Amino acid sequence: MSGPRFRFAPSPTGFFHVGGARTALFNWALARRLGGRFVLRIEDTDEARNRPEWTEGIISALEWLGISTADPTFEGPYLQSDNAAAHLEAARALAESGRAYWCAMTPEEIAERAAADGVTGYGGWSRDLGLDEGPGRVLRFRVPEGETTVIDSVRGEVVFDNSVIEDFVLVRGNGTPVFNLANVVDDHLMGITHVVRAEEHLSNTPKQQMLWEALGHTPPAWGHVPVLVNEQRKKLSKRRDKVALEQYREEGYLAEAMVNYLMTLGWSAGDDVEIRPWSEIESLFRLEEVNLSPAFFDVRKLGAFNGEYIRMMTAEEFAAECGRWVPESWDRDRLSVIVPHLQPRLVTFSDLEGTVDFLFGPVVVDEASWEKAMSAEFASPLLAATRSAYAGLPDWSAEVLKETLETVMEPFELKLGKAQAPVRVAVTGRTVGPPLFESLEALGRAESLDRIDAALARLSG
RNA sequence: GGCCCGUUCGUCUAGAGGCCUAGGACACCACCCUCUCAAGGUGGCGGCACGGGUUCGAAUCCCGUACGGGCUGCCA
């Protein structure tokens, strides 16, 4: 058990937060490069957050990101609730040594007293009552006078005046340990040397550091990274924002793209390179280089990264991946004709089905597209001429189809861009889409001609 | 309200006193390429929050102001 020990301690909430993903990745990069360990601990102290399947969800999300449970760097998962006895034992020790005391005030009583005294929060009113443990009573930490200095590798030294920290609860009225206590006891038990987490925990840190010291241990090295925010610059929340990693996965974002993008939020290697493989990120990442201000999670840029990663795939990889994003019933041969032309056009794989669906089902004509392409004078005659030329073609290939249309359009004095529009709308129903002649090739002669006939009929009718 | 943290193009960032006429990426605009749309190429738009210092010299150091964020729970 030598080497630095990092930990990732998410609380199970039913989905995996992208901000959590970034924190996990930061810890993973550090643990891997430094030859240490990445310890996964599920913080399920709050009984409302205790579902076995949620733990499985966390693990599969981590696996997707490349944080493999099979990697020797990985350790866990541990369940915080399994350590309840140790938490309570620590609480008892603190109570016996006088570092903590029992308090019988309910939240309502505290609010009343605070209002009456004109203060906010708990004023330490039970401090010297010498109460014993009892039903409904909470154990509170006796915050000492003085100040607490947190040495943070991201932010430097942060000093807190202890007088602004109230005597916080260690054990609830129902006898269960609270996060701050459990967190510290677990980190110590697991030999954690580095706590790297989001900035929202910075205010908790002096409390936890006091606990480490009260328990007679040396606190770990701290590192608080900035949070991820939405366009309103508020911390990403599951209520307002799309934060579930699983959702991005389902929409067809590549794990590599997500990982790479997440690592550019709040950190840069210092050069002009943004797209780089994890192996490089891992050797380059330094906590000391992490920025201090919140970063906006920009889905558009995520999309740009995803497109880059899609284009980096080999043709075989891309074709295989496409196969997974399309209905089982779709003809694979037909799909394979068009797929090579989709690689530079896709942002996410969930876009795939909608861009080639016209090849596997009836044409759905977009009326705006029809209007745009068919209102031209030449539309009908050109379509008719194309239809008869196509009908007699000996070879139904994209190349021949293109050359044929170029011949047909000559008397109309049009450019290909104009001339292809009516054909495109007749066959695909839309003005934009995959390359037309390859689409025709994939569709096949019979179906293509039928669609042109249908368009001609509508045009004359 | 109190405590803490922060502030470089719209966004993510480079920048650790002279290399900055502030660089890159996404987005946006234009042009090129082109069978539509993309992709690719070229170019463009656009920023050191503000005010004081310190210094020969400040985006970089100090102070103040403004603004933003986090925490302030018997959640984590």
Side-chain angles (χ1 to χ4, degrees):
Chain A
M1 258 197 17
S2 63
R5 292 173 62 78
F6 292 83
R7 45 74 135 184
F8 176 58
S11 60
T13 53
F15 67 94
F16 199 83
H17 196 289
V18 289
R22 186 183 64 145
T23 302
L25 254 10
F26 282 177
N27 277 285
W28 182 246
L30 258 11
R32 292 259 307 167
R33 176 168 63 80
L34 269 18
R37 285 293 182 90
F38 172 98
V39 180
L40 173 64
R41 182 174 72 233
I42 311 294
E43 308 235 320
D44 58 350
T45 309
D46 181 5
E47 55 271 44
R49 305 186 183 190
N50 203 342
R51 295 266 180 65
E53 64 268 27
W54 288 352
T55 298
E56 291 163 28
I58 289 170
I59 289 181
S60 78
L62 290 174
E63 292 276 0
W64 186 64
L65 293 170
I67 297 177
S68 168
T69 58
D71 190 297
T73 303
F74 188 94
E75 186 178 314
Y78 298 109
L79 247 37
Q80 182 158 71
S81 56
D82 288 345
N83 274 153
H87 305 154
L88 265 14
E89 191 181 319
R92 197 168 304 121
L94 255 13
E96 281 169 10
S97 68
R99 302 302 302 270
Y101 60 92
W102 296 97
C103 169
M105 291 179 81
T106 65
E108 294 72 33
E109 288 168 343
I110 290 170
E112 277 174 36
R113 176 74 182 271
D117 288 13
V119 300
T120 56
Y122 174 70
W125 299 297
S126 307
R127 262 196 168 201
D128 303 309
L129 264 33
L131 259 32
D132 286 324
E133 181 173 2
R137 291 182 179 175
V138 301
L139 184 68
R140 287 181 182 275
F141 185 70
R142 189 188 302 274
V143 175
E145 290 187 352
E147 52 187 30
T148 301
T149 299
V150 171
I151 299 174
D152 188 291
S153 29
V154 176
R155 284 153 210 284
E157 293 191 1
V158 185
V159 182
F160 294 85
D161 187 333
N162 291 0
S163 67
V164 303
I165 302 173
E166 64 180 43
D167 289 351
F168 53 96
V169 172
L170 262 21
V171 178
R172 299 188 182 90
N174 67 5
T176 59
V178 167
F179 159 74
N180 278 128
L181 205 221
N183 199 271
V184 168
V185 171
D186 287 347
D187 281 344
H188 173 251
L189 242 41
M190 296 175 186
I192 301 304
T193 58
H194 298 255
V195 172
V196 176
R197 69 228 305 195
E199 189 194 349
E200 60 203 87
H201 289 289
L202 186 54
S203 300
N204 280 136
T205 309
K207 299 178 187 174
Q208 294 174 189
Q209 189 161 104
M210 285 189 272
L211 242 25
W212 275 87
E213 284 156 3
L215 255 11
H217 310 304
T218 306
W222 311 102
H224 291 88
V225 304
V227 297
L228 259 29
V229 298
N230 61 20
E231 45 277 272
Q232 273 79 240
R233 299 247 122 218
K234 299 286 186 197
K235 184 171 72 164
L236 245 34
S237 93
K238 66 173 172 180
R239 290 203 58 183
R240 299 185 294 263
D241 312 304
K242 197 169 93 179
V243 298
L245 193 69
E246 292 86 348
Q247 193 178 349
Y248 288 97
R249 181 182 182 174
E250 284 162 14
E251 287 178 9
Y253 288 92
L254 260 14
E256 293 79 4
M258 176 60 84
V259 166
N260 195 158
Y261 175 62
L262 249 16
M263 292 302 286
T264 67
L265 260 26
W267 176 75
S268 149
D271 51 25
D272 286 340
V273 181
E274 286 189 324
I275 307 280
R276 54 171 27 118
W278 174 258
S279 57
E280 281 181 29
I281 292 175
E282 193 176 281
S283 62
L284 258 21
F285 181 74
R286 297 290 184 284
L287 236 205
E288 298 71 24
E289 296 171 345
V290 171
N291 279 165
L292 306 172
S293 44
F296 170 50
F297 184 83
D298 186 355
V299 181
R300 298 192 47 101
K301 188 152 184 178
L302 204 215
F305 271 55
N306 208 52
E308 290 284 351
Y309 273 86
I310 284 177
R311 275 166 252 132
M312 275 192 265
M313 297 172 95
T314 64
E316 293 70 30
E317 289 168 341
F318 180 70
E321 189 63 23
C322 282
R324 293 186 202 104
W325 288 87
V326 126
E328 293 276 328
S329 60
W330 285 15
D331 183 87
R332 301 290 131 167
D333 291 336
R334 186 172 284 194
L335 187 63
S336 68
V337 174
I338 203 67
V339 150
H341 305 283
L342 268 20
Q343 197 163 357
R345 282 163 238 269
L346 241 40
V347 172
T348 66
F349 282 97
S350 60
D351 295 338
L352 177 62
E353 188 172 335
T355 80
V356 294
D357 54 358
F358 66 89
L359 289 174
F360 304 91
V363 216
V364 177
V365 177
D366 171 64
E367 290 308 322
S369 295
W370 176 276
E371 193 54 38
K372 191 174 171 188
M374 301 303 196
S375 56
E377 290 278 317
F378 65 82
S380 185
L382 179 87
L383 214 42
T386 304
R387 199 262 178 232
S388 53
Y390 277 6
L393 246 31
D395 182 19
W396 191 262
S397 70
E399 194 184 349
V400 172
L401 259 6
K402 181 184 176 189
E403 288 167 359
T404 303
L405 180 59
E406 282 171 331
T407 305
V408 169
M409 74 187 190
E410 268 171 30
F412 295 91
E413 296 189 332
L414 297 166
K415 287 192 173 178
L416 227 204
K418 283 276 186 193
Q420 57 94 42
V423 184
R424 176 180 292 282
V425 172
V427 175
T428 74
R430 298 181 282 255
T431 51
V432 303
L436 177 61
F437 305 106
E438 284 75 5
S439 297
L440 289 168
E441 180 184 322
L443 233 203
R445 186 196 312 260
E447 183 71 7
S448 300
L449 260 26
D450 282 352
R451 293 184 183 190
I452 294 174
D453 284 338
L456 249 13
R458 176 174 170 182
L459 243 18
S460 63

